[in-house]
Amino acid sequence: MGLKEDLERYREVGEQRRQDLAEFIQYGDLGQSRPDEVHIPIKIVDLPEFAYDRRDVGGVGQGEADVGDPVGQPQPQPGDDESGEPGEEGADHEYYEMDPEEFAQELDEELGLDLEPKGKKVIEEVEGDYTDITRTGPSSTLDFERLFKEGLKRKLAMDFDRDYVREALKVDGMGPAAVFEWARGERMPVSRAWLDETYAALTPEEKTTWASLAAMQEAVDHRSTAQRVRREGVDQIPFRREDERYRYPEIEEKRERNVVVVNIRDVSGSMRQKKRELVERTFTPLDWYLQGKYDNAEFVYIAHDAEAWEVDRSDFFGIRSGGGTRISAAYELAMTRLEEAYPWSEWNRYVFAAGDSENSSNDTEENVIPLMERIPANLHAYVETQPSGNAINATHAEELERHFGEGEDVAVAYVTTPEDVTDAIYDILSTEEATA
């Protein structure tokens, strides 16, 4: 095995030791990834190399130094300090790169999902598999296997033991008419024309070969069609034009699978760092997942306190305000953006919101719920992030759950620790799967 093969083998071992997908979502450094490329840490397997032995610092050389002079002192290595204690630098890491499509596939496997999103708009009709059959078509699409089977069935249906029937014509006193009636009774598909022609070809002596039909049957073996085919094969297949069928491609409608994801998060003063981190750990994998599932994915990021405004993705997870909270402001902006740029007839829509469930008095019941009902979407989801448990006034998620219940296109999830993130993602996506 050469050095190149060794290198590939060690690289494969490293990729197999990459961080588990669920562990990466819960605890990994999501910031190393880009919106269109997911970087999952892998544990580096050091490649074999020649090591410098620090104990052997002497030797004979060809320079100006005298024989036996040391050629130099070993240099401090990363992680060493003068006291000999372990260094404080972190271990090296490399990353396993996957695109959102692969991420979505692996997340489906990890969570046991099988979500297949539907397209909204037909953009072209394409030829699928050749599963349809027609009576006309180019010779290259002739279904020869079907033609052969039809011809073979006809061959077997028309076949009979000609030698055996010819001997019946040699029975004294039996002519073509009598043999024809006898053959019909024996279920042999012989034609009267063939009998007349064959009988005419016999000599007068041959026409009296057998004294009776019983004597002929006792002396002559009758071979079935199957026996003759096994012994002699099939010399000729009677093909007919009416048996011809041509394979025709099934016409499939290719739909453009557009998706717009509206991510809403509370940035009010109560949303401290731990709550913001849980929002990021939940929303980021959902973004990757939906981007991998759809042909064309667009994202709208809305931040809100008592007011709402649109932000870039880079600012979405870090922004913070000191104002109060009115969640309905975000849904008002979301509805406006969707109606302006993403009509329901052409776009799959997802509206995901997250916060600590604290909202201004009666805003959820009087404003948010009616707005959610007015915004058509594949799925509405709300993720409550409360690391210390439910606060007294954190009732938004409970009110949504109580109003929409089960069976609606609404998912409510609760995240208090990173361990809850994958469960929340499963709750959201399984709701979409059931709806689809």
Side-chain angles (χ1 to χ4, degrees):
M1 180 179 292
L3 291 177
K4 183 176 181 181
E5 288 77 8
D6 272 340
L7 180 63
E8 291 299 325
R9 183 170 63 86
Y10 275 88
R11 183 174 288 110
E12 290 175 6
V13 171
E15 290 182 355
Q16 290 170 4
R17 298 178 67 182
R18 78 178 193 201
Q19 191 172 15
D20 176 75
L21 190 61
E23 182 184 357
F24 168 67
I25 292 172
Q26 294 166 346
Y27 300 104
D29 184 2
L30 306 183
Q32 292 293 333
S33 303
R34 298 196 300 269
D36 59 348
E37 191 173 89
V38 186
H39 291 182
I40 300 180
I42 59 175
K43 210 170 184 180
I44 290 182
V45 177
D46 292 331
L47 299 179
E49 60 181 4
F50 292 104
Y52 174 71
D53 189 348
R54 304 183 193 181
R55 296 170 299 177
D56 187 8
V57 297
V60 177
Q62 297 181 352
E64 296 179 358
D66 294 333
V67 175
D69 285 349
V71 297
Q73 296 299 323
Q75 298 299 315
Q77 300 298 310
D80 295 343
D81 56 28
E82 294 182 358
S83 64
E85 296 297 327
E88 296 181 354
E89 293 186 7
D92 291 334
H93 288 91
E94 287 186 356
Y95 296 92
Y96 177 87
E97 297 180 1
M98 64 170 66
D99 57 27
E101 185 174 354
E102 183 181 357
F103 178 86
Q105 181 179 351
E106 292 214 8
L107 189 60
D108 275 339
E109 295 174 359
E110 181 87 23
L111 301 182
L113 297 169
D114 188 21
L115 176 60
E116 183 60 32
K118 303 299 182 183
K120 286 286 183 185
K121 179 181 178 183
V122 177
I123 56 173
E124 63 176 319
E125 292 183 344
V126 296
E127 293 185 355
D129 296 333
Y130 280 75
T131 55
D132 291 343
I133 296 294
T134 182
R135 289 184 175 272
T136 60
S139 57
S140 60
T141 63
L142 176 64
D143 191 343
F144 183 77
E145 181 179 353
R146 186 182 187 282
L147 177 64
F148 180 83
K149 288 180 178 179
E150 292 298 318
L152 182 59
K153 286 193 295 183
R154 181 178 292 104
K155 170 73 174 178
L156 297 178
M158 296 170 56
D159 186 76
F160 62 93
D161 190 345
R162 283 171 169 73
D163 294 338
Y164 186 69
V165 176
R166 184 180 291 107
E167 291 302 316
L169 289 171
K170 297 178 182 179
V171 175
D172 188 15
M174 288 190 71
V179 172
F180 182 73
E181 293 299 325
W182 165 76
R184 285 167 59 92
E186 296 292 325
R187 298 183 179 278
M188 288 184 284
V190 60
S191 71
R192 178 62 186 270
W194 182 86
L195 290 171
D196 290 339
E197 182 181 344
T198 304
Y199 187 75
L202 297 176
T203 64
E205 291 78 12
E206 288 178 321
K207 293 177 181 179
T208 59
T209 301
W210 307 104
S212 67
L213 186 61
M216 184 278 293
Q217 291 175 319
E218 184 177 352
V220 179
D221 290 334
H222 176 213
R223 293 181 299 166
S224 67
T225 298
Q227 289 173 328
R228 289 194 307 281
V229 169
R230 282 197 297 268
R231 180 176 297 181
E232 302 170 7
V234 178
D235 295 333
Q236 188 175 0
I237 300 294
F239 296 130
R240 293 186 180 178
R241 181 170 294 277
E242 59 263 29
D243 295 334
E244 293 180 357
R245 295 293 185 274
Y246 296 84
R247 291 178 290 109
Y248 188 78
E250 181 182 358
I251 302 300
E252 299 176 351
E253 291 182 344
K254 185 176 181 181
R255 295 178 178 270
E256 187 175 28
R257 301 194 301 184
N258 296 326
V259 64
V260 57
V261 184
V262 180
N263 285 319
I264 299 170
R265 66 165 292 249
D266 182 358
V267 299
S268 63
S270 62
M271 288 294 294
R272 303 188 184 279
Q273 182 177 354
K274 287 185 178 180
K275 296 179 182 180
R276 297 197 303 269
E277 289 177 354
L278 293 177
V279 173
E280 181 178 7
R281 292 202 176 278
T282 306
F283 276 9
T284 302
L286 285 172
D287 281 4
W288 287 332
Y289 180 85
L290 293 173
Q291 188 174 351
K293 282 289 185 178
Y294 286 89
D295 301 325
N296 177 34
E298 295 193 17
F299 298 87
V300 176
Y301 297 95
I302 295 176
H304 77 88
D305 47 24
E307 303 294 331
W309 61 98
E310 191 170 347
V311 297
D312 293 333
R313 184 183 189 278
S314 58
D315 299 328
F316 181 72
F317 296 109
I319 194 170
R320 185 177 174 187
S321 168
T325 305
R326 187 171 66 90
I327 299 175
S328 62
Y331 281 90
E332 290 167 357
L333 179 57
M335 184 167 66
T336 300
R337 289 286 286 113
L338 290 173
E339 290 179 351
E340 288 176 347
Y342 307 100
W344 175 235
S345 60
E346 298 180 12
W347 288 81
N348 291 272
R349 295 165 160 187
Y350 293 84
V351 182
F352 296 153
D356 56 12
S357 273
E358 297 180 19
N359 195 12
S360 58
S361 177
N362 300 325
D363 185 53
T364 300
E365 181 179 356
E366 295 179 0
N367 301 310
V368 176
I369 290 175
L371 283 166
M372 291 174 67
E373 292 175 334
R374 289 173 57 192
I375 300 174
N378 296 54
L379 182 68
H380 285 273
Y382 184 80
V383 180
E384 178 186 291
T385 57
Q386 277 285 359
S388 58
N390 289 335
I392 297 176
N393 58 338
T395 61
H396 179 71
E398 293 179 0
E399 290 182 62
L400 294 181
E401 201 168 30
R402 184 165 56 249
H403 178 84
F404 290 105
E406 298 181 359
E408 299 283 349
D409 302 336
V410 177
V412 178
Y414 298 86
V415 177
T416 58
T417 66
E419 287 89 345
D420 299 329
V421 171
T422 50
D423 290 338
I425 293 174
Y426 175 81
D427 290 342
I428 293 169
L429 296 179
S430 60
T431 301
E432 160 65 0
E433 182 184 35
T435 302

